[in-house]
Amino acid sequence: MTRVAAVDCGTNSIRLLVADADPRTGELVELDRRMIIVRLGQGVDRTGRLAPEALERTFAACREYAAVVKEHGAERLRFVATSASRDAENRDEFVRGVLDILGVEPEVITGDQEAEFSFTGATKELTGRDDLAKPYLVVDIGGGSTEFVVGADRVDAARSVDIGCVRMTERHLVHDGAVTDPPTAEQTAAMRADIEAALDLAGETVPLREARTLVGLAGSVTTIAAIALGLDAYDSARIHHSRVSVDRVREITEWLLRSTHAERAAVPSMHPGRVDVIAAGALVLLSIMERTGAREVVVSEHDILDGIAWSVA
């Protein structure tokens, strides 16, 4: 076993996994997994820069994670940064801050690398299951981008497109500096058109309709699963590998798009940091399911973070 630590810093959240990994057996024993919503991508789609307050929230989380990594005695650490830090003009400031706190330089990876890590993390434990037909379409709906990966035992095709839940919210659902509550029909239609155009782009590279099992990753998907399951609190064990039908996803999405901030915040399994962006994330998932003809989505709590851990091991 090798004790490894992996950090995934996305547009909306920063997450840590400390685990013992054995590449010979494919076993990954989780020791600590946590998430903090820092909204690093705040305003990036509009300004092209990482906001000072977003950087400070991210650095505060890094200081907490540095203590956890030290406590567990991880032998190796890899820090991967995705969509927001790819897009920002001042990403050097972000890189310097992380290096000072954690002692490693964040790797600002490409969308293709992000897709490969997501695929590995989501499918490594599905090997040998006869109830999930191959090939898989793994969809990772992040804050700034969504990754599409098709493959059976390895990645056959991948594409990253800019339709994450934070980006879609800021682009289409914000008026006079605040999220419209609830969105207007015109805002929703414009967002849907943007998503459909991005799916056209993804489909140029990834054969979206050839996959036989849709696997959904990240907070938008897991939150929708928690709502579908009627959980009184977020329960990772119950959410992992649950299945949600396209009809149920449509029902939840339609409710989210007509609900108020207070109504969404009252959902017991809803993380406070997702209240304003979950409707956009749900619409991305629904649009994908309708485009691919998927009758259900298999929800995975294991994603890019697990793929990063395996890459370290």
Side-chain angles (χ1 to χ4, degrees), residues 14 16 23 39 48 81 100 111 113 137 160 178 182-183 193 209 220 230 258-259 278 287 292 297 310:
I14 182 169
L16 170 71
R39 199 66 63 86
D100 287 346
Q113 289 174 303
L137 170 59
S160 177
R209 289 186 172 273
S220 292
R258 66 174 183 266
S259 64
I278 185 60
S287 301
T292 61
V297 58
W310 278 116

Side-chain angles (χ1 to χ4, degrees), residues 1-7 17-30 33 76 78 80 116-126 302-313:
M1 289 283 192
T2 302
R3 183 156 295 181
V4 299
V7 176
L17 172 63
V18 181
D20 286 331
D22 187 344
R24 296 168 301 173
T25 63
E27 185 180 11
L28 192 69
V29 180
E30 180 180 315
R33 186 188 296 259
R76 303 175 189 171
R78 188 172 190 180
V80 165
E116 185 171 348
F117 286 144
S118 295
F119 185 83
T120 301
T123 65
K124 197 170 185 71
E125 63 184 344
L126 301 181
H302 295 177
D303 49 29
I304 184 173
L305 193 57
D306 302 76
I308 296 166
W310 278 116
S311 74
V312 180

